Amino acid sequence: MTAPTTADLLALDRAAQDLLFRAARTANTFTDKPVTDAQVAAIHDLIRYGPTAYNGQPLRVLLLRSAAARARLLPYVSSSNRAKTASAPLTAILAADVDFHERLPELYPHRPQARDWLSDRPSRVEQARFSATLQIGYLLVGVRAAGLAAGPMAGFDAAGVTREFFPDGRHEALLLLNLGHPGRDAWERRLPRLSTEEVVWTL
Amino acid sequence: MTAPTTADLLALDRAAQDLLFRAARTANTFTDKPVTDAQVAAIHDLIRYGPTAYNGQPLRVLLLRSAAARARLLPYVSSSNRAKTASAPLTAILAADVDFHERLPELYPHRPQARDWLSDRPSRVEQARFSATLQIGYLLVGVRAAGLAAGPMAGFDAAGVTREFFPDGRHEALLLLNLGHPGRDAWERRLPRLSTEEVVWTL
């Protein structure tokens, strides 16, 4: 893809633009090459600096490394996502800690009373979802920053995965993510994107 | 900040890591230097390639350029965010198009029936919020990629902003964002971040 001239207006160099956005694609197949714990730690160590409300950082990442854990997940995955989830070198459940407010006295020390502002569970759950989803955005960029392909999947039974993997009632599954190196026929053609005129308005 | 050795495991070079995450901070003050429409277009043209469910791309960005538009926003902003919102060179309302499904026959052409899967409004609103929030994550990275400071603000009356700026009932305000070049005393000290051991678990 030829980068448009707007690319020259950015401080980020073109190779990085391509790595993170322009040439990056959601992979549907993966090679056998593993994704190591060190790579995952490097990704997290980068993206953990992204901003969240109250610095609450509610995202939690559950890596399914064992065959037994992967097998527990598959019944909850939509049929169209099952084959790739079974064959990806690594699959993660991305979840929100809906009791993230308990850590706020430590994470947001200049306003220790923030924990009490979030004592109402329904509004706290909404906040947890929002900030964890922002963090998933950073995480997808971070996976690409590691030179890996990300395969996010919204097609799954989120309530079922929450019950199966987070019986503590404290976490809520938001998205599944396959990680690896792209395999054969890893993607379809690029789908159309909205133009700036369609997305950005001015008052 | 000294980058940890995990930085060497990433394909993204260190300068880009610093620009986007490690050295980037949420700015609370800005200089007078303007943020141009060309810069905003360059940011959008980069981040529009980020993945969304059904390729639905529900994020909409309303730039408040006129003094009148900014004045309409301020009553809905929390007192602690009002001064910086009044003085930022550019403030944007980030919103979700809750009727994004209408565009799916064009944006997700291989499954034109996806529009009908989303005919139930409550679940569609949830999907719109989720994908638009992912896109806000990409956008914050994109603002930094442009060499600008981002000042996201969750402290505002979202329902009030939705009523005031989106009376069509089709859009929902999710976050406010100040954009500009960091000014004097633009940030407090960096708040603590959770470690990989606290966030990433393995089964």
Side-chain angles (χ1 to χ4, degrees):
Chain A
M1 175 182 301
T2 306
T5 54
T6 55
D8 300 324
L9 288 171
L10 300 177
L12 189 71
D13 66 85
R14 278 192 186 233
Q17 293 178 34
D18 290 344
L19 178 70
L20 301 181
F21 287 104
R22 290 190 210 281
R25 302 291 309 279
T26 290
N28 293 311
T29 71
F30 297 92
T31 68
D32 290 339
K33 192 170 174 184
V35 174
T36 66
D37 286 339
Q39 284 176 299
V40 174
I43 293 165
H44 177 259
D45 192 60
L46 179 69
I47 66 102
R48 68 188 182 132
Y49 294 104
T52 52
Y54 308 109
N55 193 38
Q57 309 167 59
L59 178 67
R60 298 295 178 272
V61 178
L62 182 59
L63 303 179
L64 304 182
R65 287 226 175 260
S66 70
R70 190 83 62 108
R72 281 171 61 197
L73 176 66
L74 290 179
Y76 300 102
V77 177
S78 73
S79 54
S80 60
N81 286 329
R82 210 165 290 155
K84 60 188 168 192
T85 305
S87 65
L90 183 60
T91 298
I93 300 172
L94 309 181
D97 177 354
V98 301
D99 288 338
F100 71 98
H101 66 311
E102 291 177 2
R103 299 292 298 271
L104 290 192
E106 173 196 347
L107 299 177
Y108 205 60
H110 55 300
R111 295 260 166 70
Q113 66 274 35
R115 175 169 58 185
D116 302 325
W117 299 340
L118 292 162
S119 59
D120 174 58
R121 184 177 159 107
S123 71
R124 188 172 72 241
V125 169
E126 211 169 297
Q127 292 260 6
R129 279 185 200 142
F130 182 78
S131 281
T133 306
L134 275 184
Q135 291 185 283
I136 293 174
Y138 311 145
L139 178 66
L140 294 174
V141 172
V143 169
R144 293 163 167 193
L148 296 169
M153 295 180 296
F156 71 106
D157 172 2
V161 168
T162 294
R163 280 192 306 271
E164 175 73 27
F165 289 92
F166 304 107
D168 60 5
R170 175 179 177 135
H171 299 88
E172 197 177 273
L174 296 175
L175 195 72
L176 302 180
L177 179 64
N178 289 322
L179 298 96
H181 295 267
R184 288 182 61 166
D185 302 322
W187 32 71
E188 321 273 341
R189 65 182 172 77
R190 172 78 88 178
L191 292 172
R193 292 303 194 273
L194 296 175
S195 68
T196 299
E197 291 67 31
E198 292 171 297
V199 170
V200 181
W201 310 322
T202 302
L203 275 184
Chain B
M1 176 181 301
T2 306
T5 53
T6 56
D8 300 324
L9 288 171
L10 300 177
L12 188 71
D13 65 85
R14 278 192 186 232
Q17 293 177 34
D18 289 344
L19 178 70
L20 302 181
F21 287 104
R22 289 190 210 280
R25 302 291 310 278
T26 290
N28 293 312
T29 69
F30 297 92
T31 69
D32 290 339
K33 192 171 173 185
V35 175
T36 67
D37 286 338
Q39 284 177 299
V40 174
I43 294 165
H44 177 258
D45 193 59
L46 179 70
I47 66 100
R48 68 189 181 131
Y49 294 104
T52 52
Y54 308 110
N55 193 38
Q57 308 166 60
L59 178 66
R60 299 293 179 272
V61 178
L62 182 58
L63 303 178
L64 305 183
R65 286 227 175 260
S66 70
R70 191 83 60 107
R72 281 171 61 197
L73 176 67
L74 290 179
Y76 300 101
V77 177
S78 73
S79 54
S80 58
N81 287 329
R82 210 165 290 156
K84 59 188 168 190
T85 305
S87 65
L90 183 60
T91 298
I93 300 172
L94 308 182
D97 177 355
V98 301
D99 287 338
F100 72 97
H101 67 311
E102 291 177 3
R103 299 291 300 270
L104 291 192
E106 172 197 348
L107 298 177
Y108 205 59
H110 54 301
R111 296 260 166 70
Q113 66 274 33
R115 175 169 58 185
D116 302 324
W117 299 340
L118 292 163
S119 58
D120 174 58
R121 185 176 158 107
S123 71
R124 188 173 71 242
V125 169
E126 212 169 298
Q127 293 261 3
R129 279 184 201 143
F130 182 79
S131 281
T133 305
L134 275 184
Q135 290 184 283
I136 293 173
Y138 310 146
L139 178 66
L140 294 175
V141 173
V143 169
R144 293 161 168 196
L148 295 169
M153 295 179 296
F156 71 106
D157 172 3
V161 168
T162 294
R163 280 193 307 271
E164 174 73 28
F165 288 92
F166 305 107
D168 61 5
R170 173 177 180 138
H171 299 89
E172 197 177 273
L174 297 175
L175 196 72
L176 303 181
L177 179 63
N178 290 322
L179 299 95
H181 295 267
R184 288 181 63 164
D185 301 323
W187 33 69
E188 320 273 342
R189 65 183 171 76
R190 171 79 89 177
L191 292 171
R193 292 303 195 273
L194 296 175
S195 69
T196 299
E197 291 67 31
E198 293 172 297
V199 170
V200 181
W201 311 322
T202 302
L203 276 185

